[in-house]
Amino acid sequence: MNVFLHRSITAGALAALLCAPAPVRGQTAADAPAYSPPRTPFGQPDLQGIWQALNTASWDIQDHHASLGVPAGRGVVDGNDIPYQPWALEKKRQNVANRAALDPDARCLLSGVPRITYMPYPFQIVQQADKVNILHEYNHTLRHIYMNGNPHPEGPIEWWMGDSRGTWEGNTLVVDTIHVTAETWFDKAGNFHSEALHVVERLTRTGPDHMLYEVTIEDPKVFTRPWKMSMPLYRRVEQEPELLEYECYAYLIEETWPNR
Amino acid sequence: MKSLISAVTAVAALSLLVPSGVAGQGFAQPGRPKGAGARTWRAERATLPPYSPPRLPDGRPNLQGRWGGSSSGDDIEETEQVDPTTPPWESWVSDPADGRIPYQRWAMAERKKHRAGLARGVTGETGERLFMDPQTFCMKSVPRYAQRGYELVQAPGYVVMMLNWGHFHRRIPLDDRPRPGASAQFWMGIARGRWDGDTLVVESTNFNGKMWLDSVGNFASEHVRVIERLRLVEANTLDYEVTIDDPTVFTQAWTLSYRLRRAGTGGGGGAATVNDPYAAESWEHACHEGNAHHVEGARDLGFKWFPGVTPPQR
């Protein structure tokens, strides 16, 4: 079966959804003033540089008050509600109750998509003609978004960061991701998905130092309908910004070594 | 697909945990020809005609592409055998000429201690368990990152290296920007690059000293300065020389010499299969995620966490 064709159709349906008027909290591409980003030598919109989300989504993607070690924040989910199926809402509640033990981040596992983007660490985008690479400081995570004409490989595959294929829609990088494990979460608040997750990310530069990040989440096993997140990403404008490292599991293993 | 990939990862990790019971089963075969190391590569390199590399629009040599690995990652010195699965090999050390790492006396004692405590079937072990190669826990550093190969990209102002193994990456600014203070220490260090003619020179500092240089306990300290030199010597071959400079551990700076082959042209890592459109893609190698039971296993066997060495005060 042509997985990519199937997904393209789905993506098309989702694109229609994205264009529908909605009580959207975040900025959308339609709201953003037209900005023409510079181009790479191979003619693509240039998204390169070091970027970071500045919000509290990695703690909780929905509106939340503060608690010990958790800053309060407005959510990044359009309309704030996540359309869980009834059983899934109950599981989310259990995840919340046991989040200290269950959060995959507490074991320094790869964050999955889209959570890695709004982890509170910078990332660097490096473009090539046939793929976009995202190098994250967190856990030295490395994403390759292939634009080489290959469709998603045939599954079943369950990768922590999924399989990502990109296309350009005007100045927007559209990233289609499937083949994920069910073991990643969306945040520390127990919001979750299954291995049937399909993520469409849209990255649109809205200025020299800003980029709009929109995400559509589709998972028929967990949700009753697709839903969206959106948030700005900010360029790290320090004079000489540089990714350092956050070797999460190395620190965890060292800290917990019994005879250290 | 999933179970196959998991199984491959599990086997690879498990091989690091081979118990010492297999030691001494007569695998040493004196006179067996050794794998090609620094000596063989340097001799071959000397016979190569001068080569002018293809260039990027900025005039710099184009070193981009997927490069195969530098070596097995086992003992970087000359070996008769490391363990039952590892053939004899020439040293990767080209300077000093004897191929030996010029440890200071105390540091050699430390190295011997590491080796004696490996419990993996290497000659000279005591049978007691001390440290396990930190790579067992999915760590990398410089220059060992090159072991399984990587893709090199020349982005504006940067050279970027992207590994399949453990999804590590290096970002090497080419503008000689100030480094963080020495108290800021990193597994992969802090790298700065520059061009010396057609040679890319990368100088790395700010290491935490917690990674080994190979799987059998060779080490440097947090004070080490690593200077890598990469030069295209023919279309599909990178000359890769690494100088290890740490006056707190060694009696002199010393050099490793490797040859990296372009992936799919006879080097390690990522053979190009003509009919596989995905052959050039780097599919996920999630190391730590499947490694919890190996970490537990190492602890249960009594191995300690390698904390780095502390050179004596002078």
Side-chain angles (χ1 to χ4, degrees):
Chain A
M1 159 179 139
N2 187 330
V3 177
F4 193 63
L5 179 63
H6 167 72
R7 293 298 174 184
S8 297
I9 291 166
T10 312
L14 292 174
L17 177 90
L18 295 176
C19 295
V24 169
R25 166 172 308 134
Q27 188 188 22
T28 69
D31 297 338
Y35 172 77
S36 288
R39 301 255 155 190
T40 64
F42 36 89
Q44 298 173 353
D46 192 340
L47 311 182
Q48 297 181 106
I50 299 181
W51 304 88
Q52 190 168 339
L54 289 176
N55 59 38
T56 60
S58 69
W59 286 275
D60 191 337
I61 55 176
Q62 294 175 289
D63 293 343
H64 59 278
H65 56 252
S67 56
L68 187 63
V70 180
R74 299 300 299 265
V76 295
V77 178
D78 288 358
N80 196 46
D81 290 327
I82 299 174
Y84 282 107
Q85 295 174 17
W87 73 269
L89 187 58
E90 179 50 36
K91 180 174 160 74
K92 139 85 184 184
R93 289 199 184 103
Q94 290 168 10
N95 286 348
V96 173
N98 302 302
R99 61 178 148 186
L102 294 182
D103 179 8
D105 183 52
R107 286 173 285 150
C108 296
L109 304 175
L110 282 166
S111 309
V113 176
R115 187 178 184 182
I116 187 62
T117 310
Y118 47 78
M119 291 296 284
Y121 299 84
F123 54 87
Q124 183 164 357
I125 297 180
V126 175
Q127 287 172 245
Q128 294 170 277
D130 64 349
K131 64 178 181 289
V132 175
N133 310 285
I134 310 184
L135 290 62
H136 292 268
E137 186 169 294
Y138 184 82
N139 251 340
H140 56 265
T141 306
L142 176 57
R143 289 183 71 189
H144 300 297
I145 297 159
Y146 287 102
M147 310 181 78
N148 56 9
N150 286 340
H152 288 296
E154 196 177 332
I157 299 172
E158 294 183 15
W159 281 325
W160 289 82
M161 301 303 294
D163 182 78
S164 295
R165 307 279 149 178
T167 51
W168 292 101
E169 282 182 17
N171 290 328
T172 299
L173 173 64
V174 182
V175 184
D176 190 287
T177 300
I178 58 168
H179 292 334
V180 304
T181 164
E183 294 189 46
T184 62
W185 285 6
F186 291 113
D187 55 21
K188 278 187 183 299
N191 286 306
F192 76 104
H193 57 83
S194 79
E195 73 286 349
L197 176 68
H198 173 211
V199 181
V200 178
E201 300 161 278
R202 300 174 60 87
L203 292 101
T204 311
R205 281 192 55 183
T206 55
D209 300 324
H210 298 88
M211 186 148 57
L212 176 63
Y213 181 61
E214 299 168 291
V215 187
T216 301
I217 302 294
E218 181 191 40
D219 184 344
K221 289 190 176 175
V222 175
F223 308 113
T224 59
R225 58 173 170 81
W227 51 282
K228 278 188 61 185
M229 303 182 212
S230 69
M231 68 193 76
L233 302 174
Y234 300 84
R235 186 187 294 280
R236 292 286 296 257
V237 297
E238 293 95 325
Q239 194 171 7
E240 288 161 336
E242 178 175 15
L243 292 192
L244 299 173
E245 66 182 28
Y246 186 79
E247 299 298 300
C248 188
Y249 56 78
Y251 313 138
L252 179 69
I253 294 171
E254 182 168 4
E255 285 293 318
T256 54
W257 203 272
N259 55 3
R260 170 178 167 255
Chain B
M1 178 74 76
K2 179 200 174 195
S3 57
L4 175 64
I5 289 169
S6 302
V8 169
T9 310
V11 168
L14 201 61
S15 66
L16 298 169
L17 285 171
V18 172
S20 58
V22 291
Q25 290 178 355
F27 47 80
Q29 297 172 33
R32 219 170 131 192
K34 289 188 167 64
R39 188 186 313 135
T40 297
W41 166 231
R42 283 209 157 185
E44 184 185 331
R45 195 181 67 183
T47 67
L48 295 175
Y51 179 73
S52 183
R55 291 175 193 279
L56 295 171
D58 67 0
R60 297 304 184 188
N62 183 352
L63 309 184
Q64 298 187 111
R66 296 180 304 116
W67 295 100
S70 58
S71 69
S72 72
D74 274 314
D75 201 339
I76 54 182
E77 293 185 320
E78 183 166 4
T79 54
E80 287 303 326
Q81 89 283 336
V82 172
D83 69 10
T85 61
T86 309
W89 216 270
E90 289 177 4
S91 179
W92 293 104
V93 179
S94 58
D95 176 29
D98 67 0
R100 293 287 158 193
I101 300 170
Y103 284 108
Q104 295 174 19
R105 191 183 299 265
W106 71 270
M108 179 54 102
E110 200 71 27
R111 203 282 302 272
K112 284 182 174 160
K113 219 164 67 182
H114 296 169
R115 193 161 302 194
L118 285 172
R120 59 172 276 206
V122 175
T123 309
E125 289 175 357
T126 60
E128 286 182 34
R129 299 180 177 113
L130 182 57
F131 302 122
M132 194 174 272
D133 176 9
Q135 186 171 282
T136 313
F137 312 118
C138 304
M139 298 316 301
K140 277 289 186 194
S141 190
V142 182
R144 212 170 157 194
Y145 75 91
Q147 186 182 316
R148 298 259 186 270
Y150 55 87
E151 178 169 7
L152 188 151
V153 181
Q154 288 163 267
Y158 283 89
V159 169
V160 172
M161 296 172 175
M162 303 184 292
L163 282 67
N164 176 263
W165 196 96
H167 47 86
F168 279 89
H169 49 79
R170 297 180 80 199
R171 307 127 330 260
I172 304 165
L174 297 172
D175 56 6
D176 199 32
R177 61 186 62 180
R179 294 166 190 268
S183 62
Q185 299 184 337
F186 305 92
W187 283 89
M188 293 288 284
I190 296 289
R192 298 288 180 263
R194 62 187 161 83
W195 290 97
D196 177 9
D198 286 346
T199 302
L200 175 66
V201 182
V202 182
E203 192 168 326
S204 299
T205 58
N206 295 74
F207 289 99
N208 68 8
K210 294 180 181 179
M211 186 63 192
W212 286 357
L213 294 169
D214 59 22
S215 69
V216 295
N218 284 307
F219 68 96
S221 81
E222 65 198 42
H223 307 295
V224 71
R225 195 168 61 103
V226 180
I227 302 115
E228 302 166 86
R229 289 186 172 81
L230 293 92
R231 185 170 63 96
L232 209 52
V233 290
E234 53 186 17
N236 296 320
T237 306
L238 262 187
D239 182 47
Y240 179 49
E241 283 205 343
V242 189
T243 296
I244 310 282
D245 183 13
D246 185 347
T248 68
V249 174
F250 309 108
T251 59
Q252 64 175 86
W254 52 284
T255 301
L256 296 151
S257 293
Y258 296 104
R259 178 187 79 155
L260 303 187
R261 290 284 291 171
R262 202 177 287 279
T265 63
T273 307
V274 177
N275 294 323
D276 181 1
Y278 295 98
E281 296 190 0
S282 175
W283 286 8
E284 182 169 283
H285 178 262
C287 185
H288 168 68
E289 285 66 22
N291 210 38
H293 54 300
H294 295 118
V295 175
E296 288 306 313
R299 289 170 175 169
D300 291 348
L301 288 167
F303 286 101
K304 295 181 168 63
W305 176 259
F306 178 63
V309 295
T310 306
Q313 297 292 321
R314 288 196 288 179

